[in-house]
Amino acid sequence: MQSPRTLVESVEQNPVLPSGPEERFAGYGVMGVPFSFGYILALRHFAASSIGPGYSSVWIRDPAGVWTMRSTTDPGSSCPRYFGSALGSASTGGISIRWRDGYSFSVEVGDGVDLSWDLTLAATPVSRLMSAVSGAVPEPLWRSRTFLRAPGGCGLSARAKRT
């Protein structure tokens, strides 16, 4: 089995958008990681997008439930466009994603956000099962909150700090 880093590099070198008239993206993401100090962090990195250039986006939800998003491209062509009034603020600026090995990477956000986030990916029994059956899952289940909630938190350890 290929490492996550190898899979990411493959997408980066040859981003292919699925066909269809709806908005499409090619990339990867960390869907949401809760921390004991009350914050939730998320990451999206798209090598290609049907609505504009590829981009990275870091989502930060503070303990009061307010979302802040930083994207490497205009908010109108990236993740903030989908949040509306749930979004406290959005900004454009640098995001650095650096792979340390096949399973670990760090995310750095500066320019007033000042976030350093280390992630290590690992297979778990639930993530292995999800990978094994994902091709046989009917399309409607991929839109089911209950179904998608099942693998939440599987195979991820993360550490973050404000710098």
Side-chain angles (χ1 to χ4, degrees), residues 146-163:
T146 303
F147 176 77
L148 293 175
R149 196 173 295 133
C154 298
L156 176 67
S157 94
R159 181 175 92 237
K161 66 179 178 184
R162 298 299 288 261
T163 54

Side-chain angles (χ1 to χ4, degrees), residues 25 44-47 49 53-57 71-73 77-79 82:
F25 304 89
R44 306 292 186 272
H45 178 76
F46 298 118
S49 164
Y55 65 92
S56 295
S57 183
S71 296
T72 57
T73 193
S77 298
S78 59
C79 294
Y82 302 103

Side-chain angles (χ1 to χ4, degrees), residues 40-91:
I40 295 176
L41 299 178
L43 167 73
R44 306 292 186 272
H45 178 76
F46 298 118
S49 164
S50 66
I51 61 171
Y55 65 92
S56 295
S57 183
V58 170
W59 307 11
I60 304 166
R61 195 191 80 179
D62 69 19
V66 177
W67 285 97
T68 299
M69 289 187 187
R70 165 64 65 92
S71 296
T72 57
T73 193
D74 177 76
S77 298
S78 59
C79 294
R81 72 186 259 137
Y82 302 103
F83 263 69
S85 64
L87 185 61
S89 67
S91 62

